[in-house]
Amino acid sequence: MSTGRLTIDLDAVAANWRALDAKSDQGVQTAAVVKADAYGLGVGKVARALAAAGARRFFVAVAEEGAAVREALGPGPEISVFAGHMSGDTDMIHDLGLVPMLNSVDQLTRHFEALPGHPFGVQLDTGMNRLGLEPAEWAALRELVLAQGPRLVMSHLACADEPTHLMNRQQLDAFHEMTDDVDAPRSLAATGGILMGPDYHFDLTRPGIGLYGGLPFDKAQPVVSLDLPVVQIRDVAAGESVGYSNTWIAEHPTRVATVSGGYADGLARHVSNKAVMFHQDTPCPILGRVSMDLICVDVTHLSETPKALTILGDHQSVDDLADVAGTIGYEVLTQLGARYARYYARGRG
Ligand SMILES: *Cc1c(COP(=O)(O)O)cnc(C)c1O
């Protein structure tokens, strides 16, 4: 086996869903966001594990993603689409029984004309200015929309990863103002909003990243581990260089392991000369540039010759690696490449 080995712990995903579910009151439903192939982890297996844990409502970004979720889950669970009802989506929405979260006047018109009586939700913009009806549009259309019985009225927080940010309170106030006299179920919180407490929970929460072991859910169980096999080991003399553009030069004799995995596998070039991998508990620095398919690592200090090195696992989370790369755990997860051998584990150890 020469490709990396990506292990995805489905029991940890289920445990994270239960832990987030337990953070809100009995009457609050906890959905599961499985967009972007369940944040890169494989939507079929992840959605089934979440359904087994008790999730009944799933969210995807675009209608196309709903097909794999419907196939994995069968007819029962509700699958909602954040992008709403786009032109060309009508058949998919109808045939797969998807619930579009309508976000503009155009979409409302399209939906009510193309699929009268088909379930839908509405997205309101409370300040993020990304998706959803503006307050004035909502004021003008709300009676008409509410008469059609939306399954959900939702908005999204821009700064929920910073609980003390004033934007959170402003969006909460705006959401109350726009929806307090609405009978339909309401939703404002993703993972960060759940952690900010019951004021933000309303009737339904929509966690994504927390299910997959990422911040801001710092109590999450880790979900992914990634081991890269060693392809070759060599001894480099002082003064010799390693990798493209000679960005690392040995100051003393160094034992270098070349592992299989690179930026084509989602391991950002930004971690060149910065990140570490692990042999059991021992950190091993990356030497030189990350290339497309290979990374060189300092193993001089190890007492044995490693067969593989670990880049994601107990000692380095997706957020740790993201910090080094100057990005966020969400991006590390969703970039994990298609080349890995993927193993779906039940339970750790
Ligand atoms: C992605 C997304 C979520 C999930 O957010 P996390 O931060 O991953 O929990 C919830 N709601 C909307 C509208 C989203 O786009």
Side-chain angles (χ1 to χ4, degrees), residues 17 30-34 50 55 57-60 205-208 211-212:
W17 184 84
T30 304
V33 178
V34 293
L50 287 165
R57 236 161 134 164
F58 295 81
F59 286 84
V60 292
T205 60
R206 314 183 306 267
L211 307 175
Y212 310 111

Side-chain angles (χ1 to χ4, degrees), residues 39 47 90 134 153 159 161 166 265 291 303:
Y39 290 45
T90 303
E134 295 283 324
V153 176
C159 303
D161 58 336
L166 290 177
D265 303 292
S291 18
S303 55

Side-chain angles (χ1 to χ4, degrees), residues 36-56:
D37 197 27
Y39 290 45
L41 301 185
V43 72
K45 294 222 168 44
V46 166
R48 274 194 294 272
L50 287 165
R56 288 289 165 270

Side-chain angles (χ1 to χ4, degrees), residues 24-307:
S24 43
D25 297 340
Q26 285 282 307
V28 180
Q29 186 174 23
T30 304
V33 178
V34 293
K35 61 192 180 189
D37 197 27
Y39 290 45
L41 301 185
V43 72
K45 294 222 168 44
V46 166
R48 274 194 294 272
L50 287 165
R56 288 289 165 270
R57 236 161 134 164
F58 295 81
F59 286 84
V60 292
V62 294
E64 283 80 354
E65 294 179 333
V69 183
R70 183 58 78 211
E71 187 175 302
L73 299 179
E78 188 162 317
I79 303 170
S80 299
V81 181
F82 289 135
H85 191 149
M86 303 270 285
S87 135
D89 285 352
T90 303
D91 287 349
M92 256 183 307
I93 289 170
H94 174 266
D95 297 351
L96 297 166
L98 307 178
V99 181
M101 296 291 121
L102 307 176
N103 50 51
S104 67
V105 179
D106 276 358
Q107 288 206 355
L108 288 165
T109 310
R110 179 179 297 125
H111 187 74
F112 296 149
E113 281 177 3
L115 294 175
H118 186 97
F120 70 97
V122 199
Q123 275 185 88
L124 305 179
D125 180 48
T126 51
M128 188 175 184
N129 284 307
R130 188 178 69 166
L131 280 182
L133 298 173
E134 295 283 324
E137 292 174 317
W138 176 237
L141 289 167
R142 43 173 289 151
E143 293 317 319
L144 187 149
V145 171
L146 292 173
Q148 303 292 321
R151 302 272 305 145
L152 194 68
V153 176
M154 62 165 276
S155 188
H156 192 52
L157 297 168
C159 303
D161 58 336
E162 294 175 67
T164 58
H165 201 297
L166 290 177
M167 182 70 166
N168 294 311
R169 198 75 218 179
Q170 282 173 29
Q171 287 193 267
L172 181 64
D173 291 346
F175 194 58
H176 274 299
E177 198 154 308
M178 290 167 89
T179 63
D180 268 353
D181 47 0
V182 162
D183 281 336
R186 295 185 288 172
S187 175
L188 181 62
T191 302
I194 295 174
L195 301 174
M196 285 194 294
D199 286 355
Y200 287 85
H201 294 173
F202 294 89
D203 301 298
L204 177 139
T205 60
R206 314 183 306 267
I209 192 69
L211 307 175
Y212 310 111
L215 290 176
F217 186 25
D218 57 6
K219 301 286 185 328
Q221 291 190 22
V223 170
V224 293
S225 56
L226 177 57
D227 301 310
L228 304 178
V230 174
V231 182
Q232 195 182 6
I233 300 248
R234 63 160 39 69
D235 292 304
V236 168
E240 288 193 282
S241 62
V242 169
Y244 281 121
S245 309
N246 296 6
T247 64
W248 187 85
I249 299 186
E251 282 170 11
H252 38 72
T254 303
R255 178 150 259 237
V256 178
T258 303
V259 302
S260 176
Y263 60 78
D265 303 292
L267 303 171
R269 213 161 149 278
H270 292 98
V271 307
S272 299
N273 281 311
K274 287 199 269 184
V276 296
M277 297 195 200
F278 283 84
H279 174 61
Q280 291 150 12
D281 299 333
T282 309
C284 304
I286 289 178
L287 303 177
R289 292 264 161 90
V290 171
S291 18
M292 185 186 292
D293 320 294
L294 298 164
I295 302 176
C296 296
V297 185
D298 186 351
V299 294
T300 315
H301 52 304
L302 300 183
S303 55
E304 56 183 318
T305 304
K307 289 206 166 48

